[in-house]
Amino acid sequence: ATEQRFVMAGTFVHRKYPGRAPEGRALVRAFVGGALGPDVPSLSDAEIIEGALKDLSELLGIRQAPDFAVLGRYDERQPQFELGHLARVDRMEALEAALPGLALAGNMKRGVGIPDCMGTGQAAAARLLAD
């Protein structure tokens, strides 16, 4: 936020999921908008792609145009953690520790992505089995 970037987050998809890009190529996913970019949905597809490519080029030192760019719009679909969220998670985890048999899982903890949610589910199951 302090850098005033258009891209708020990104992932190297080819690292998370091998085989998603040809050998020697990269597949990068950029996230824009959200709580820090509420006006982004009103931009055209071309403006959003241009803004993302500009940031990715500057941040990653990319010097050539991508083979392709695809835009997917997910208006108001991704939960946004607010200031103080980790303190709430700490309270949830303190309750879990104090109440045997209670195990919380899901995107309200430490990440909203599918792998994050799966991790919380696995941790909750392990905790319950250990109890």
Side-chain angles (χ1 to χ4, degrees), residues 6 12 15 20 27 43 50 73 76 80 90 117:
F6 190 77
F12 293 95
R15 299 265 184 184
R20 295 284 174 104
L27 179 58
L43 299 175
E50 180 183 333
R73 289 180 180 262
E76 299 182 31
Q80 302 281 311
D90 289 344
C117 292

Side-chain angles (χ1 to χ4, degrees), residues 114-124:
I114 291 172
D116 300 315
C117 292
M118 290 173 61
T120 65
Q122 292 167 337

Side-chain angles (χ1 to χ4, degrees), residues 10-127:
T11 59
F12 293 95
V13 178
H14 66 286
R15 299 265 184 184
K16 288 174 75 171
Y17 306 105
R20 295 284 174 104
E23 187 67 33
R25 299 298 223 183
L27 179 58
V28 180
R29 179 183 299 150
F31 298 88
V32 301
L36 299 177
D39 297 331
V40 171
S42 66
L43 299 175
S44 71
D45 289 4
E47 290 171 316
I48 293 172
I49 290 171
E50 180 183 333
L53 291 176
K54 179 181 178 291
D55 267 6
L56 292 174
S57 295
E58 291 173 5
L59 292 166
L60 302 175
I62 298 170
R63 299 292 172 240
Q64 68 183 66
D67 293 340
F68 64 91
V70 176
L71 174 68
R73 289 180 180 262
Y74 303 99
D75 299 333
E76 299 182 31
R77 300 279 195 275
Q78 184 80 358
Q80 302 281 311
F81 294 145
E82 295 178 354
L83 188 61
H85 175 75
L86 292 178
R88 287 187 289 278
V89 172
D90 289 344
R91 285 195 306 273
M92 282 189 268
E93 291 176 348
L95 282 172
E96 287 177 293
L99 299 169
L102 175 65
L104 303 173
N107 68 355
M108 79 291 195
K109 288 192 113 180
R110 298 190 184 274
V112 299
I114 291 172
D116 300 315
C117 292
M118 290 173 61
T120 65
Q122 292 167 337
R127 202 167 34 259

